[in-house]
Amino acid sequence: MIRIAIANQKGGVGKTTTAINLATALAATGMRTLLIDLDPQGNASTGLGIGHAAREYSSYDLLLGEATVAEAVIHTRVPLLDIIAATQDLSGAEIELIDVAERTHRLKNALDAAQEQWDICLVDCPPSLGLLTVNAMVAAQSLLVPLQCEFFALEGLSQLLTTVERIRGRFNSDLSIMGVALTMYDRRNRLTDQVADDVRACLGKLVFETVIPRNVRLSEAPSHGLPALIYDHRCSGSEAYMQLARELIGRLPQPEPRPEMAA
């Protein structure tokens, strides 16, 4: 199972919107997709129409060892897309995990036991670099960073990259950065173009070619409990996320060819 953490310690950069719509797009291609909501705000869960009453088990229970992946998973209305929802209990998980053995590997250990059930797993991280995000980075093979096209876009990115290096050195040497996705792009704003150019000059091919525009339909969709790709698949935001999913698939590790059977 391919595991990708979607992280940026800055809030309001379109991280959860990216997680929901990429997961939907990947499921639409036929990939069995698991989305893990690791943000105490639970916006990814709400955005997929998972009410609080339906969250019998959550990512909190998963981290505390009180539920398995199979027990915590919820089927969404999107075919082939499952989610492990978040509840407010998750906000206390970092304190509760302080004295727990292998506290940085709790998510990895839980996912290792469920390897064959899904093709790909996306983890929506909270807007911080705390223990929840560390768990996601330890469990993942790669990192996708949504980056807002605004003046302070690169502020804090160096801190995130430093954290990635520390995770590589101490816990997960295989962790790589799959790419940076530029979000909230506004063609009417010249500053947006300047920021996008600066980011590409700094990070080169790490930056996806696709940019996600500012789009009202992307903002409206969560209030209906639907991904934008289902709420309005023809809007510019949905089309951009479908294109981003195609780019992401192109960067995924290719499966090793099966040895030919002897005649």
Side-chain angles (χ1 to χ4, degrees), residues 30-98:
M31 300 181 76
R32 297 169 299 167
T33 306
L34 175 64
L35 175 60
I36 300 179
D37 190 349
L38 214 59
D39 187 341
Q41 298 176 88
N43 290 338
S45 309
T46 304
L48 282 171
I50 309 300
H52 291 280
R55 306 176 197 182
E56 180 179 359
Y57 292 110
S58 67
S59 52
Y60 167 84
D61 300 298
L62 195 67
L63 292 175
L64 271 293
E66 297 174 1
T68 64
V69 170
E71 290 170 334
V73 75
I74 300 171
H75 302 300
T76 73
R77 67 185 76 181
V78 180
L80 298 181
L81 175 56
D82 297 327
I83 187 172
I84 295 179
T87 61
Q88 290 185 348
D89 292 337
L90 198 57
S91 60
E94 296 198 7
I95 296 174
E96 295 182 53
L97 288 171
I98 288 177

Side-chain angles (χ1 to χ4, degrees), residues 42-195:
N43 290 338
S45 309
T46 304
L48 282 171
I50 309 300
H52 291 280
R55 306 176 197 182
E56 180 179 359
Y57 292 110
S58 67
S59 52
Y60 167 84
D61 300 298
L62 195 67
L63 292 175
L64 271 293
E66 297 174 1
T68 64
V69 170
E71 290 170 334
V73 75
I74 300 171
H75 302 300
T76 73
R77 67 185 76 181
V78 180
L80 298 181
L81 175 56
D82 297 327
I83 187 172
I84 295 179
T87 61
Q88 290 185 348
D89 292 337
L90 198 57
S91 60
E94 296 198 7
I95 296 174
E96 295 182 53
L97 288 171
I98 288 177
D99 296 323
V100 174
E102 292 192 307
R103 62 182 180 271
T104 58
H105 287 66
R106 304 293 291 185
L107 182 60
K108 179 182 185 301
N109 293 341
L111 289 175
D112 283 348
Q115 276 281 30
E116 302 303 322
Q117 296 182 44
W118 294 275
D119 300 311
I120 192 166
C121 172
L122 303 181
V123 185
D124 183 27
C125 298
S128 71
L129 295 177
L131 189 55
L132 295 177
T133 299
V134 170
N135 258 272
M137 290 186 182
V138 171
Q141 294 123 350
S142 55
L143 181 69
L144 190 154
V145 183
L147 200 64
Q148 187 178 7
C149 288
E150 299 216 346
F151 182 70
F152 294 113
L154 292 175
E155 185 179 282
L157 182 61
S158 60
Q159 184 181 357
L160 176 64
L161 297 179
T162 299
T163 299
V164 170
E165 288 303 320
R166 289 175 178 170
I167 297 294
R168 282 176 180 159
R170 295 186 60 185
F171 305 119
N172 182 4
S173 60
D174 295 328
L175 181 65
S176 64
I177 298 177
M178 175 166 286
V180 175
L182 297 175
T183 62
M184 302 183 181
Y185 183 82
D186 187 349
R187 296 184 185 278
R188 301 168 299 176
N189 189 336
R190 294 181 63 183
L191 177 62
T192 296
D193 286 324
Q194 181 181 338
V195 170

Side-chain angles (χ1 to χ4, degrees), residues 187-213:
R187 296 184 185 278
R188 301 168 299 176
N189 189 336
R190 294 181 63 183
L191 177 62
T192 296
D193 286 324
Q194 181 181 338
V195 170
D197 291 342
D198 290 345
V199 172
R200 293 188 189 281
C202 179
L203 299 176
K205 292 183 179 180
L206 273 182
V207 184
F208 288 102
E209 289 297 323
T210 304
V211 295
I212 309 300

